[in-house]
Amino acid sequence: MQSTSAMFAKGMKDILPVAAAGIVDGIVFGLLARQAGLGIAEAMLFSLLVTAASSQFAAVGLISQGIVGWPILVSTALLNARHLLYGLALGPHFRGRPLWKLALMGTALNDETYALKATYLERGGNPSIAYVVGAGTTDYFIWNGSTLIGAWFGAAFTQTETYGLDFAFIATFLGFLALNLLSSFHLKVAVCASAVACVGYVLAGSTAAVIAGTLTAIVIGAVSGER
Amino acid sequence: MNEKIVWIILLSALITYLTKFPMLAISSRWEVPAWLRRGLAMVPVGVFSSMTIPPILFHVRDGAWSPEFLVAGAVSLAVGLWRKQIVWALVAGVLVTALYRLVF
């Protein structure tokens, strides 16, 4: 078993190729935050405190439509509910570890660090909290650094529609969707959730669409024996 | 800074952390029922499809329904499935939208 600091350093290094791919996302987030009317400080506060790309994108999308209030909190909760899944998958590997260490690991848990850790465990690596926290540290610096770059130059972009940047939110989420279509069952769930979401969207708008669609997916998953 | 936005950010940060730590702690101590596990496993697919499909299908531009997001979305999803990287889906979607507007 390697030392804690060695595992921390290994985590910091192993996440690099994954986290580097997020640089563009961070820059685009910074740009869109400025386009939505936020200042550099507010854009940075999102990345420094929330540190969850997809929910930050959704929040800024709502703010750009003039919605500042509970719909942002609802979309944040729903989008980040996938972390419950990561906790659920990783928890059993960390039986009996002190809660404060798990609380620290919780801060570092995100799409990238989960994907890295799950792959690492599958290859027979030992369950190291330091490894996850190291990976999360690199990820944190890259995400915040790229947000700052985007936010800094964000005000210079004026014709976002010409550059197709108004599609950036949806395109990012389609990327997330693509990564999550793991089987034909997932595809069927996606089709059902989309159908219900469309009804919600037409009747009551985008927040209702996300709530209705997500609940549909959860219910189908829970009642179905299939994986 | 807008005070309301700062509050929203603080609450969002709290909500986000609550999705990360408690379940990790619970599942490191106890067994979680299979139905809940299966339900949660479908959260990502549910959220991401309901955030993308409706605004693509019901996209309105200059007061009329427009297929531009449908075209860009199809390419973006295909590229995402092919490259397995979010950033490529993003780049493809934005490029196609820009090109579509250049042509039509």
Side-chain angles (χ1 to χ4, degrees):
Chain A
M1 188 144 168
Q2 284 174 286
S3 74
T4 304
S5 58
M7 288 309 290
F8 184 85
K10 185 169 165 48
M12 282 192 82
K13 190 167 67 69
D14 284 359
I15 194 84
L16 267 176
V18 191
I23 291 176
V24 177
D25 289 322
I27 293 174
V28 172
F29 171 74
L31 282 175
L32 292 174
R34 294 303 302 279
Q35 298 295 331
L38 297 183
I40 295 178
E42 289 158 334
M44 284 313 295
L45 215 51
F46 259 114
S47 286
L48 287 167
L49 296 178
V50 182
T51 330
S54 59
S55 70
Q56 288 181 225
F57 270 96
V60 163
L62 288 168
I63 292 170
S64 71
Q65 297 165 40
I67 302 168
V68 181
W70 65 267
I72 294 181
L73 301 180
V74 172
S75 83
T76 300
L78 286 172
L79 278 166
N80 290 328
R82 69 187 189 287
H83 294 123
L84 295 171
L85 209 67
Y86 303 161
L88 200 64
L90 292 181
H93 293 283
F94 296 90
R95 289 228 184 273
R97 303 289 178 99
L99 278 179
W100 71 268
K101 283 191 180 171
L102 292 176
L104 186 63
M105 181 172 152
T107 62
L109 193 59
N110 60 35
D111 295 317
E112 291 85 16
T113 57
Y114 168 72
L116 180 71
K117 186 65 198 176
T119 318
Y120 183 72
L121 287 171
E122 244 161 54
R123 290 194 197 131
N126 66 303
S128 158
I129 291 176
Y131 182 81
V132 179
V133 177
T137 305
T138 300
D139 206 44
Y140 190 74
F141 280 114
I142 288 183
W143 178 238
N144 279 284
S146 52
T147 302
L148 184 59
I149 295 170
W152 197 270
F153 296 105
F157 276 86
T158 45
Q159 288 176 296
T160 47
E161 292 219 343
T162 319
Y163 303 113
L165 276 176
D166 53 324
F167 192 68
F169 293 117
I170 298 177
T172 302
F173 291 126
L174 284 171
F176 277 107
L177 178 61
L179 291 186
N180 283 287
L181 290 175
L182 299 166
S183 67
S184 61
F185 181 68
H186 285 80
L187 183 62
K188 283 178 215 160
V189 173
V191 171
C192 295
S194 302
V196 175
C198 283
V199 176
Y201 189 81
V202 170
L203 294 179
S206 53
T207 309
V210 176
I211 295 173
T214 308
L215 287 178
T216 304
I218 292 174
V219 171
I220 297 174
V223 300
S224 139
E226 242 183 297
R227 278 315 298 260
Chain B
M1 252 193 281
N2 182 326
E3 198 177 314
K4 200 170 173 193
I5 287 182
V6 174
W7 271 110
I8 290 285
I9 295 173
L10 287 174
L11 288 171
S12 296
L14 177 68
I15 290 170
T16 303
Y17 188 66
L18 288 177
T19 64
K20 294 181 177 182
F21 169 56
M23 188 55 103
L24 182 65
I26 290 168
S27 68
S28 75
R29 302 293 193 264
W30 297 287
E31 203 63 46
V32 175
W35 62 266
L36 182 60
R37 207 173 262 278
R38 286 197 308 270
L40 288 176
M42 293 302 132
V43 166
V45 167
V47 179
F48 296 129
S49 51
S50 20
M51 293 210 68
T52 51
I53 306 303
I56 286 174
L57 293 182
F58 299 97
H59 177 57
V60 170
R61 188 170 166 79
D62 302 327
W65 183 81
S66 159
E68 60 178 7
F69 279 9
L70 196 58
V71 174
V75 174
S76 178
L77 186 64
V79 170
L81 285 167
W82 171 44
R83 303 294 306 183
K84 299 282 176 210
Q85 288 264 3
I86 290 156
V87 66
W88 292 116
L90 166 62
V91 170
V94 168
L95 277 179
V96 172
T97 309
L99 276 175
Y100 187 97
R101 284 172 186 166
L102 212 63
V103 176
F104 295 101

